[in-house]
Amino acid sequence: MPSEEKQAAPMLSEESEGKNIALLQQPSACPLEVASAPAVTCYTADISICSMICRIAVEEHGVPNVTHQNVDIECAMENYKPEFIMIQPTMTVPCMKYGDDVIGDSKDIMHYLSKKHPDAKLYPAEQKEAIDTFVEMFYSRFGQIARFTFGNWVRKSDKIKEFIGRGKNEKSAEKLEKAIAEHPELTELLARKLVSKKKFNFVDFMLSANLAEMDASMKEVLDAMETALGKTAYVAGDSYTLADVVATAFLARVHVVKGETMFGPKTAACWNEKYKTRPSFQKAYVLWKWEHSLMAKQIDVFAEGGDPESVKWTGPPSVIPG
């Protein structure tokens, strides 16, 4: 993500399609390249681990002509806005529009970019097996990563628990009902999501998570990294690859929840000396501290009795290591 002097642009107006979604331009190529390159829009949430994977992949592949739009998925529930649903029917982030193509999954986005920008050499043939093994290990534990994250967060305080429940159930249902009323053509798609939101209590599910088991699942990935880094400079060999894109986002999420307490020494060194010092770490806004998140700022307002939706995304803080 850009440094503080390259903040996101102001919020779009209420009349625009992207209400409550901030824009951030990322010029990274020469003017002629940008002019001839297809327009790319990345819809991500600052706090989403898969969104971080998308943003890092975009930066590491040197994609020109990029606009980033932050989608609030914890408070305003902007992923249930009709204009976003038209682009991403799954109502999830990340989602990337690359010219006329729409890619709605972080793993697919990485591989799509590796084909579009092979010169970045993030998916070299000689390292594909090692890359795929690590990437699959991460994605196979996605449910556990969510429970590790929210299982810890809902236990931090009653206000955090209340805020999360408000967004995941109450506000989600409210936004879906509004979208159905205003866009009856989306009823079939949205009604299914609405039923699931009303049946499934997100907070209760996260409170039921066995945190020791979730820690153990995270530790398996961390141990695999520690072993790999004892043999090679990076997770899947001696060059930075898609495996490291995923590893950076994964370590950032673990750090938000538990700091470096779960990192092995080689992993901690890689995190501090390699990942955090890469230009992409700052440009992609790798969220590694709770207090940097939009959600944390919204909870502060919520805890004081204010309207958390009044807290809008205006751009990231500096995330220069320090």
Side-chain angles (χ1 to χ4, degrees):
M1 209 67 178
S3 57
E4 289 180 320
E5 64 269 21
K6 294 182 181 177
Q7 292 291 306
M11 301 305 301
L12 296 175
S13 68
E14 288 197 2
E15 290 74 23
S16 69
E17 285 192 346
K19 178 182 175 186
N20 295 341
I21 300 177
L23 300 183
L24 175 61
Q25 296 288 345
Q26 296 278 5
S28 56
C30 71
L32 286 177
E33 240 184 287
V34 173
S36 62
V40 178
T41 304
C42 295
Y43 301 87
T44 69
D46 68 316
I47 205 164
S48 156
I49 188 170
C50 289
S51 290
M52 284 190 271
I53 288 171
C54 172
R55 294 194 298 267
I56 298 167
V58 164
E59 291 299 332
E60 288 290 348
H61 283 97
V63 180
N65 205 16
V66 178
T67 297
H68 288 281
Q69 294 196 4
N70 192 74
V71 183
D72 182 353
I73 61 170
E74 302 297 343
C75 181
M77 310 314 292
E78 292 170 339
N79 50 316
Y80 299 131
K81 292 171 69 69
E83 56 268 24
F84 181 71
I85 296 167
M86 300 291 190
I87 300 166
Q88 173 71 317
T90 61
M91 296 166 264
T92 57
V93 291
C95 176
M96 183 176 73
K97 285 188 69 177
Y98 193 109
D100 293 329
D101 294 340
V102 177
I103 309 95
D105 174 86
S106 58
K107 182 164 66 170
D108 292 343
I109 288 169
M110 285 196 300
H111 288 292
Y112 178 93
L113 292 177
S114 73
K115 290 176 182 177
K116 285 284 187 181
H117 302 271
D119 289 349
K121 298 180 180 179
L122 296 184
Y123 194 45
E126 65 275 13
Q127 291 171 253
K128 281 185 178 181
E129 184 177 353
I131 295 167
D132 290 346
T133 296
F134 182 79
V135 169
E136 289 306 318
M137 173 181 281
F138 168 84
Y139 281 100
S140 70
R141 285 164 173 75
F142 190 72
Q144 290 99 314
I145 293 169
R147 292 194 290 279
F148 167 78
T149 302
F150 284 94
N152 277 284
W153 285 350
V154 296
R155 291 168 170 85
K156 283 171 71 75
S157 75
D158 287 341
K159 280 298 179 184
I160 291 177
K161 180 173 68 175
E162 185 181 349
F163 176 88
I164 290 171
R166 170 194 178 278
K168 297 299 187 184
N169 289 104
E170 175 191 331
K171 295 302 292 187
S172 291
E174 178 186 308
K175 295 286 185 177
L176 288 164
E177 287 169 347
K178 185 174 186 290
I180 289 170
E182 295 177 353
H183 294 268
E185 73 277 12
L186 296 174
T187 297
E188 184 177 354
L189 174 66
L190 300 185
R192 291 196 300 269
K193 177 69 76 171
L194 180 59
V195 168
S196 70
K197 287 292 177 183
K198 289 186 172 181
K199 283 185 176 179
F200 179 69
N201 189 302
F202 185 87
V203 168
D204 285 351
F205 179 70
M206 291 304 170
L207 285 170
S208 72
N210 183 318
L211 296 186
E213 290 180 2
M214 298 308 105
D215 282 359
S217 184
M218 301 306 101
K219 195 68 167 57
E220 288 176 1
V221 182
L222 292 165
D223 286 348
M225 289 186 63
E226 189 73 7
T227 298
L229 292 168
K231 300 173 183 176
T232 55
Y234 291 95
V235 170
D238 287 321
S239 64
Y240 184 100
T241 68
L242 295 183
D244 299 287
V245 170
V246 171
T248 301
F250 175 71
L251 292 180
R253 172 51 52 85
V254 173
H255 192 284
V256 166
V257 177
K258 293 206 169 186
E260 293 185 24
T261 60
M262 297 180 71
F263 295 4
K266 294 180 179 62
T267 302
C270 183
W271 165 250
N272 286 298
E273 298 167 15
K274 295 177 182 176
Y275 292 165
K276 284 170 65 180
T277 59
R278 292 183 75 83
S280 64
F281 190 90
Q282 171 107 355
K283 292 179 180 177
Y285 184 33
V286 178
L287 181 67
W288 60 293
K289 288 186 176 182
W290 165 258
E291 60 270 24
H292 286 172
S293 69
L294 174 63
M295 183 179 177
K297 296 172 177 62
Q298 289 170 331
I299 290 172
D300 287 343
V301 171
F302 181 68
E304 294 297 322
D307 177 9
E309 290 188 51
S310 67
V311 184
K312 307 296 184 185
W313 176 262
T314 56
S318 172
V319 291
I320 295 173

